[in-house]
Amino acid sequence: MHAFYLAWQYIRHNRIKSVLLVCGVTLTIVVPAAVFILVRFGEEWLMSRAASTPMVIGAKGSRVDLSLHALYFRSKAPAPIGMAEAAKLREAGLAIPVPLYGRFTARSFPIVGATLDYFDFRDLRVASGHQIAKLGDCVLGARVAQALALGAGDRLLSDSENVLDLSGAYPLNMRVTGVLAEERTEDDFAVFVDLKTAWVIAGLGHGHQDVSKADESVILDRTGNTVVANAALPEYTEITDENIGSFHFHGDPAGFPITALIALPRDEKSAVLLRGRYEQQDAAAQLVIPEDVVGEIMEMVFKAQRIFNYTVVCIAAATVLFLVLIISLSLRLRSTELQTLHKLGCSRHTMITLVGAELILIGGISSLFSAGALVLVLQLAPVLMRTFLA
Amino acid sequence: MNGMELALDCVRFAYPQGRFTLALDALHVAAGERIAIVGPSGSGKTTLLNLIAGIITPEQGAVRLGETVINTLSDASRRAFRIQHIGFVFQDFSLLDYLNVLQNILLPFRVNPVLTLDANVTERARRCADELGLAGKLDRPIQQLSQGERQRVALCRALVTAPRLLLADEPTGNLDPRTKQHAMEVLTAQRQQSGATLLMVTHDHSLLSGFDRVIDFATLAQEAD
């Protein structure tokens, strides 16, 4: 124990040198280990969600974009398909359709328009408050609630798509009805609304002042039951119990947009039939198997990681050589001190023990810091993965 | 405690990489005797002390301390003998700057398995430091001490093992006259208490009156190719 006592005194006295050594060793441990952890976590995180999502239907185009959008609400929203696609799927009886509409954000978090089927499919529970009940309601993912410090009863305004676009939709002031339990998935980072609320945000539905009671200055034409008003007619940007009745949709509901349609086949045969339908040349949409798509992405990641692994081995070898050089130079600089110890009766074995104790302490401290940093990486892995995927 | 008798017979030593060779026919020091060794620089005085301490061993001859011929012992036994029976005050004090005063005094107990560091030893070290005027400075880093204080720390470290033979290599060489005088008083008083044999190398002839015998190293040893 005297060796460790003396080694600790030496380390304390030579603070800057010790801190530099600890930082160097810690970084050498943490960087490759963190990359390894993140890649493994990312694989598990991406694959588990992909594996639990049997099929996704969406507009023809990038399979990767469609998969990332439907699974992680990442990437730019793909071109929309009509709600008719979901109806068609239901009528065919081959799969349960779970439509998603994710084009908008609220304070940078994605707003996901979905039906209650989505919550059942992902097994999402409301931890506080209650589920979406009315038009204009939203429930928050656990991390969104934490980040924005919002809870049931609060209000959340959707982000304006383009403030310079006069014909664009108004932001909607949504009522937060509940917060979902943390799942450590992308659902924690989303704001969920009913599909109809998402369409209101898109400007397909709206509520405004009763035109029969509106100021005459905003009325352009009255013909029978039809009243035409100009843009000065006040539109509601918030859905309340008083004005909810004035909200209505224009157009054919079958053509209302969704950005992805998760299909839950009833059985294996249904899945095969469904794939066959969408593989036909004249199919209006495409069907992707997220597990295959994410698998392809991970294959590329692993290829990159293999290169990284070789690099890490080379860097680790270089680091060990540098450490040997540093230690030997340090011993040369400390020759007077070692001479003193020798004169005081210290054996060569004890001197090696002393230097060894210093290395063990430096290594131990570095390992502690590394462990702390890696625990932090593990804790922040969902956020880090989300950042990397952004 | 009694001092240790010392005898060197036909000792010959050469440094491996140098041309310097020390040849000494005979030197006898009685137990408890106080010897001053004087002589020109480079004549081998420090080498002699290192030979007596067993830090280096002669090629020929015998270095006898009490009943033990130290140069016939194994490295480990010689080291153990040295640390148990000999106190050495080095010319450069040889203090470690990453330890404070008390830690430096107790250092021999931390690097030698033959010595046991316990509460009694620590108390003895404190008492010794107190007698040497270091009582309030035990927690101070070495860099904050004056040359005189460092010299006293080195002396205290040499005495804390209660040696029977005290070797001092120009311990007053770096000190001003007043501090030098005080250091000698302290050294003499401490030696008197312990009764240890004292061999001190010095260039300062004003200090020689305090010794039983003065050996002129130039006439004692021979330098040969």
Side-chain angles (χ1 to χ4, degrees), chain A residues 183-216:
Chain A
E183 294 287 327
R184 289 178 70 84
T185 66
E186 201 57 29
D187 294 320
D188 294 337
F189 297 92
V191 176
F192 292 95
V193 296
D194 182 66
L195 265 179
K196 286 180 180 171
T197 304
W199 290 330
V200 168
I201 297 169
L204 297 169
H206 61 174
H208 49 71
Q209 192 182 23
D210 185 353
V211 285
S212 62
K213 295 171 187 166
D215 191 282
E216 279 305 315

Side-chain angles (χ1 to χ4, degrees), chain B residues 167-209:
Chain B
L167 305 174
D169 189 1
E170 294 190 55
T172 57
N174 299 319
L175 305 181
D176 61 77
R178 200 173 144 196
T179 315
K180 192 185 297 181
Q181 195 56 43
H182 178 67
M184 273 313 294
E185 284 167 15
V186 167
L187 183 64
T188 309
Q190 289 293 325
R191 196 216 64 84
Q192 207 155 5
Q193 272 182 28
S194 64
T197 307
L198 171 65
L199 257 83
M200 187 173 113
V201 168
T202 182
H203 282 114
D204 192 339
H205 287 251
S206 68
L207 301 174
L208 299 181
S209 59

Side-chain angles (χ1 to χ4, degrees), chain A residues 2-3 5-7 9-10 13-14 334 336-337 339-348 350 354 358, chain B residues 50 55 79 82-83 88 90 92 94-99 103 107-113 117 143 157:
Chain A
H2 288 314
Y5 175 84
L6 292 173
Q9 297 303 329
Y10 180 82
H13 183 78
N14 297 284
R334 293 170 67 184
T336 311
E337 175 199 336
Q339 195 67 31
T340 298
L341 291 171
H342 171 67
K343 287 192 282 190
L344 292 177
C346 182
S347 66
R348 182 176 287 271
T350 307
L354 279 173
E358 284 169 21
Chain B
N50 285 338
I55 294 171
R79 213 168 29 242
R82 177 164 84 240
I83 203 65
F88 205 140
F90 300 100
D92 59 356
S94 293
L95 301 172
L96 299 189
D97 58 1
Y98 59 87
L99 300 179
Q103 288 164 341
L107 185 59
F109 291 86
R110 294 195 184 276
V111 295
N112 290 290
L117 179 60
Q143 301 98 307
R157 186 180 62 190

